[in-house]
Each structure stands twice: as C-alpha cells, then as structure tokens.
Amino acid sequence: MTKSVAAPQAKGKSAEDKIFGANNRATALAEQLGADKVINGTVGSILDEDGNLVMLDVVQKAYKALTPKEIVAYAPIQGYPDYLEAVIDQCFGESRPEGYIRACATSGGSGVLHHVIHNYSEWGDDILTSDWHWGAYNSMCTDNGRHLREFELIGPDGKFNLESFKANVTDMVAKQYNTVIIINSPANNPTGFALSSEDWDHVLAFLKDVVNGKDKNIILVSDVAYLDYSGEKQECRKFFKKFGNLPSNILVVVAYTCSKGFTMYGQRMGAMICVTSSKDVADEFVAINQYTSRATWSNSNSAAMKAMVNICKDPKKVAELDAERAEYLELIKERADLFMKEAKECGLKYLPYLSGFFITIPMEGSQKVCDLMEKEHIFLVPLGKGIRLAVCSVSKKKIAGLAAKIKAAVEATGAKQ
Amino acid sequence: MTKSVAAPQAKGKSAEDKIFGANNRATALAEQLGADKVINGTVGSILDEDGNLVMLDVVQKAYKALTPKEIVAYAPIQGYPDYLEAVIDQCFGESRPEGYIRACATSGGSGVLHHVIHNYSEWGDDILTSDWHWGAYNSMCTDNGRHLREFELIGPDGKFNLESFKANVTDMVAKQYNTVIIINSPANNPTGFALSSEDWDHVLAFLKDVVNGKDKNIILVSDVAYLDYSGEKQECRKFFKKFGNLPSNILVVVAYTCSKGFTMYGQRMGAMICVTSSKDVADEFVAINQYTSRATWSNSNSAAMKAMVNICKDPKKVAELDAERAEYLELIKERADLFMKEAKECGLKYLPYLSGFFITIPMEGSQKVCDLMEKEHIFLVPLGKGIRLAVCSVSKKKIAGLAAKIKAAVEATGAKQ
C-alpha cells in the first residue's frame, strides 16, 4: 500500500497542469528544431512578433530605478498605502463606483480568489462560476473543501445566459448563507467573451432581488485579470460604476492583478478591492483578509509594489504605460481578427470573442485534436469542451493558416463541433 | 448591530500587529526628532551601525544582473528546478541528511508553515510549538481553525525542557491522527535559544518511540529562519544529519527562507524541504503542497528565485555571500555580548541567548515597561512573558546603556522579573 502522512482532507490531491505540460513540450521542441518550426499557443503572457516575452519598457525602467530598500524591506501586511491607492485608481479609472472602497495586497489575482473562498464561504459550500473558466478555479475550491459549480456562460443565441445564471444563484441562495460568484469579464479566459452593459444591469438587479430582505449575502468577485487589453481605457471600465449603491448584503470584490496590465506575471502582485455600501463590511474586509494574508504568505512583494507605485504617481509614466498597452491591445486584436477571419472562411466554429488573451474553439474530442496537432508541432490547450488558443503569444505569421490546420485536425479525428 | 458578511468561521478575526505598530511609531518619531534620538529595537531585519537596512552586496549585484524575462516570466508552480536544488544545498550544506529530499517554493518561511498546517493537520487539531515563539504562528493556526499549543522551551535549569515537550506530544498523539510540531532552532525567535546536539537526540528518540507501531504520524517542522546567523556555517548545520533514517511515519519539513540569509525579506521567497525515508511520502509531499500553492498564491517570485540561483551556482559568489554573512554574524554577536554584559552588571535577567536576531528579557508586566520606555524614545516589543530586543537592528552605540534603562523601567513600573 502507498504510504501517506497527509491529513485526511489533503490525501490524494494532485494535478498535472495541462497548460504548463503543453508549454514545456513546446519549449523543448523549439529548442531542438528552432522556434520558427513550432507554434506554441499555450502561453498566457504577451509575446511579441519575434516570440519574446514582453516586459513593458516603462516597467523595466521602474525596476531599474528601485533602491535596495524598496526591493528587500518588509512591506506592511495590507500592502504599502500608496500601492493600495494606486491600485484602486488604476483599476477603476474614471469609473470609480460609489461606496466604501478598500484594498489589500495579494499574490496576483490568484491570491484574491483564495482569500474570498477562505473568508466568505464555508467548508462544503458551492462556489459559482461560468462553464468557461480558468482551470485554477477548480483547484482553489477543491483544495479548500469547496465545490465549483458552473452556470452556462453563453446561451444558444451567443449571448450571456442570464437564465442559467439565475437558476444556479437562486438554488445556492436557498441552501447557503453566502453565495460566492466569480465572473471573469471582460476578456474572459478562455473565450474572450464579455458581459454587456445590459447583461450587468440584469445580473445586478437579479442579485439585489434574490437576497432582498434575507439574512443571506452575495459575494460577487469581478475577476478583471485581462481588463487592460479589453478595449479603450475608460470605455472598458464603465461597468465598474454599476457596483456602487448595492445593498449591504451584496459585497463586490474586484480581483485586480499587475500580472497582465504591468506584464509583471512572475512578480506575483495583485490586490483585492472591495466595493460596499456598508462601512462595517469594508472594515471587516480589511481586518479578515489582512489577517489571512499574515497567516498565509505574510506580506507581499515590496519591489513589485514600489515599481508599480513609481509608475502610477507620475502622469508622464502613466501616459507611457497607456500607450504601450494600447499598442499590444492592437497587436492582439490583429492576431485575433486574422484567426477569426480564416476560421469563418474554412468553417471552423469559435466562441464569441470580443477581446483578451484567448480564443476558444468549442468541440467534443479536444484532447485528440490537440494530440494530432502536436505531431505538426502546434501546441494548444485542450479544455473539457474545446481548445484554447493564446492569441496573446502567437505571432501573426504563425496565426496565418492555423484555423485551417485545426479544422483539418477536427475532421481527421472525427471531433464534433 | 455591526454588519458582517464574512463566513461564520471568519467572523471577528483581526489583529493589531504589535511589532509593526511599535515600529511605525518609532519610525514616525525618528523622522520628527532625528534617527539618533530614537532607539528602534523592534525591527527583525539587519540594520548596519548607521541604521540602514542591509541588502548584501552579492545580492544587490545578482538583482542588477537579472534579465526582464527572469523578473517577469511565470515560474513553475513548484519553483524553478535549479532554485529547488540550490535551496536544498544552501540549507543543508555538508550535513545533508539521508533519505528522500524534495523541495517546493513558498512565500518565505510563513508559506511553509501555512502549507504544513493546511495539509498535515485537520480543522480543530492542536499544533505544538514552544512557549517562546514567533507571534504569527498563532494567526496561522487561528486562521485555519487550529489551536496553537505550547510546551515550555526552557526549564528552570536554563536547558531545553524535554519533559514538557514529551508530555505535550504524548497527549497529542493519543488524541490526533497527525501531530504537527514546530521547533524554531537554532537562533529561536524571540530568545536566541537553541537545542543542543543531545537535545535533538533525545527529541528524535522520543518521537520515534511515541509513534512506534501506531497508525499515527509526526510532522516535525524545523524552522531555521535565522540559521545563517547562528554560528560557523557547517557547525550550525550539523543537527540536520539527525533527520535522516527516521521511520516513515515521521516526516521532517524544514522551513527554509531567503529572507534573512540573503536579506531578501520583502521578496517573499522561501522553500519547504522534506526529509523522509519513504519515497511515497516524498512524492505525496510534492503533489499536495504544489497543489496548495496553485490554489493559494499560484507560482512564486521569479526574480527572487533567479537572483538566488545566480549566486549559488557560482562558487566565488557563494564565498562572497559567506563572508558577508560572517561579518554580520560577528556584528550581531558584538551587540548581543555588549547587552548581556551590561545586563549582568545591572542585574537585568535575560533568557539564554546563543545566537540570532533577538534577545528576550523575561518579566511579568512587559506592556507597562515598554510603554514607559517609549516615553524615553526606546521602542521594544512587549510579549506575553517578556520583552523582545532586536539586536540585529540596534547599533552598538545605542545598545550601550540600554540594559540599565530597561532595568530602571522594570523597577519604576514594578514589573516582576
């Protein structure tokens, strides 16, 4: 018998990460054959047209300017006050919602989700998200004895499936004290889908109604990891305004990260930002999440916070940042447009993509298709109901012709679209 | 009534961190009066004789040499393989124990403790440590529904209190499936105490005996945060050898951190290293802890790992590192020796200090004494049963005369020593 000393609730946990696995194989093959011979569509980071990982110039300069103290001093557990201010400003832009807004530093967006699950749901609870979601949400729930439940994101009409959302929330509110809901929009990973302004109005009106007069709470997590590449700076932020003036038993937590917007992926820097109409709930938010930070990772990366602050306090640098982001937003759009155009031409279906790092090709039998593509040195991420293509990291040259190759592999393997 | 939307288990958590609180007051006063007018004995980082935070030269150079990719690329969840090798080598030196040794990257030493508590104990369990311990251990237990239980570290004879240790472990093993024990030695925070070679022999012989033939496990966490300032490099590591060849139901997890040894405090970089005689237990260690990392903070700080590796793979840089550490070990020793000499002269009791960042002055009534000292612009950390003085951060000039001032405050407040 296999020996084990893990606690009962921790026994048997393991995960082969399909994304890192495919990426490792792609990288190894590229070293062997040359990078031009391999298409690696697995990486969730921006690569330029030559295949190099992009670190924004303004961010590189900010890192070079850091003092030893800024790099290695212990930061306060909640985060440096100027970082927390900068984060709130960067996140909301001109669409800062009304209410009590507070922030706590976290380890990227992942850290936000961990803290929300840990502090706002109970062992055994369901956590709701859409069927199209980032795989790590599952690990976060499983590791903490929660169960990830899915509503259907996109209805048969290609629009947000409000009915599926309502049915799931209604059922959860009936059963649980708190209902934690994670909505990754705009630029949903893995589809590029987003809720429209009207979708948000319907969602929020429904949420108000469903807990009205009840001793039940909704914790709405707005995961905006890809926000800065989802459209014009102020336009794509307008939905944030809707988070103001909600009843006190609806707490909005925005999962903000510097990973994408500042290309600081490996620095592990993010923040959880609350929006609430109740001062008590805001105070509690800081108290319990700061407590959990102390008990989990202690303080956060000082250098990353200081680099971010040094950019944000200087309007010239912010302008430089915005210009660089706009450039990469445009590049990703060109890649995505090219893929979608060719997909239409060859009759390959894809899910409604508006913006973001990924496009999803829906199908049954994605693993077989990905396996076959790998023989042609093309690496994509197989999902339960489709294939994820990272348009953030594949050059236009390599995108050209890719839709037809996927279409051929779908037909060769008998996968159903 | 105060509004709350936290889950039941999370309600009411909050902590004013006494260490950060006192440090903030000291810093504010120093800005007002000048640094030479304030003694700040709260900071757990090395400050030089001029009061500046030390970042080792070799570490500064390693940071300057980092490439953009090294700074911002996503690292593997477990950590870069070369980092994990470097960590094991740096930790054990010439005293690598026999058995299966594996490592996972963590957010400092704090991250190690979080993962061990999360994966090797159950909700409701007791976790054992010594009465003299780092305050954050309490938060880590409380935040995860565990209870921190204390054995008496130092007996009336000034030596390790084996009997108290045995009694507590025996009781816990009778009641729990897993008994997690945290021993912070050498250079215990807050006392500077360490278990002797014989103490370790007695501890390990007893642990083997207490779970012999039982379906019960011991998880022994060896917290060595201050290892690199605890004595001659190879000499202070010799006890690690004893962790080899233990039965498979005793798992040793070394809590390793780059915070002190590499002065990378704010970079949040550490590792959990297992030592076990069972390959299954080692495989499980990586699987479940990697899983929890993915579900908690995702991957770790790429820059910090690469900076550490770039030093460790170059013997010249390691020699430079060792020389710098030896210099600060000597400086801290001189400060501690001066304090202890003066304490003896004025009859101020202190706990047996061998090495490390802190000296503890035991007493009842520590809060009153610290409050009085603050009026003289001297900031120390009040603990439940004493006062902690950070000899890592107070210059010799400021140490001179400090013991007598504390003695006077003890007498003025009527505190009992």
Side-chain angles (χ1 to χ4, degrees), chain B residues 304-363:
Chain B
M305 283 191 269
K306 286 299 184 186
M308 192 272 195
V309 165
N310 290 341
I311 295 168
C312 295
K313 71 183 181 192
D314 180 346
K316 264 192 206 165
K317 289 180 185 156
V318 173
E320 203 180 325
L321 174 72
D322 289 344
E324 283 197 82
R325 284 176 181 167
E327 184 190 317
Y328 289 105
L329 168 64
E330 180 57 29
L331 176 63
I332 294 168
K333 189 177 179 305
E334 285 171 13
R335 292 171 179 172
D337 285 348
L338 176 58
F339 181 82
M340 291 190 289
K341 177 179 161 282
E342 291 192 354
K344 269 182 207 145
E345 284 167 4
C346 71
L348 180 72
K349 284 183 198 154
Y350 56 89
L351 293 180
Y353 172 92
L354 294 165
S355 65
F357 279 22
F358 309 107
I359 291 182
T360 292
I361 301 107
M363 68 184 67

Side-chain angles (χ1 to χ4, degrees), chain A residues 4-5 13 72 119 178 266 284, chain B residues 4-5 13 72 119 178 266 284:
Chain A
S4 161
V5 301
K13 287 189 294 191
V72 302
N119 281 330
N178 277 0
E284 177 184 68
Chain B
S4 161
V5 301
K13 287 189 295 192
V72 300
N119 281 329
N178 278 1
E284 178 184 68

Side-chain angles (χ1 to χ4, degrees), chain B residues 249-316:
Chain B
N249 60 347
I250 301 181
L251 168 66
V252 176
V253 179
V254 181
Y256 181 83
T257 176
C258 301
S259 290
K260 287 82 181 178
F262 289 81
T263 59
M264 282 190 193
Y265 319 95
Q267 285 285 291
R268 315 308 310 133
M269 203 61 242
M272 58 200 306
I273 306 173
C274 79
V275 184
T276 167
S277 57
S278 161
K279 184 176 177 303
D280 290 345
V281 170
D283 289 344
E284 178 184 68
F285 174 84
V286 173
I288 67 177
N289 289 304
Q290 181 174 247
Y291 194 97
T292 294
S293 293
R294 178 51 142 173
T296 306
W297 56 61
S298 193
N299 39 35
S300 296
N301 184 342
S302 176
M305 283 191 269
K306 286 299 184 186
M308 192 272 195
V309 165
N310 290 341
I311 295 168
C312 295
K313 71 183 181 192
D314 180 346
K316 264 192 206 165

Side-chain angles (χ1 to χ4, degrees), chain A residues 125 141-142 182 199 220 244 248 251 305 318 328 373:
Chain A
D125 270 0
C141 289
T142 304
I182 308 168
D199 292 335
L220 176 62
S248 64
L251 168 66
M305 283 191 269
V318 173
Y328 288 106
M373 301 285 293

Side-chain angles (χ1 to χ4, degrees), chain A residues 222-239:
Chain A
S222 169
D223 182 350
V224 295
Y226 304 93
L227 179 68
D228 290 310
Y229 306 97
S230 70
E232 191 280 322
K233 184 173 180 182
Q234 299 307 339
E235 189 63 33
C236 71
R237 285 168 161 79
K238 281 192 172 161
F239 74 101

